[in-house]
Amino acid sequence: MRKSSKDCRADRASVNSRIQAEADAAIKAPPVMTGSAIDPAFLFTSLCPDPKRRKPPRRKREEADGKY
């Protein structure tokens, strides 16, 4: 059975209101404080002004059997 245009409009309005509510919640949320969000883009490159951060951090060694 095909939906009437009134039902389609009601469905679209509910979807739009749900999307708007998610957008409002994202705006009110605190900013992301992860390292990749707060560090400059040139970190670990030769352009980094901090000499200690010009080389990438050492990676963890893998175990002998190949698992992390």
Side-chain angles (χ1 to χ4, degrees), residues 3-49:
K3 288 184 178 182
S4 68
S5 63
K6 188 175 185 179
D7 292 335
C8 290
R9 281 193 304 264
D11 289 344
R12 192 175 308 127
S14 67
V15 168
N16 288 340
S17 65
R18 188 173 347 118
I19 291 171
Q20 186 63 42
E22 290 175 2
D24 291 342
I27 290 171
K28 292 178 183 177
V32 178
M33 297 304 290
T34 60
S36 61
I38 59 175
D39 287 336
F42 48 80
L43 189 65
F44 305 125
T45 67
S46 61
L47 301 174
C48 187

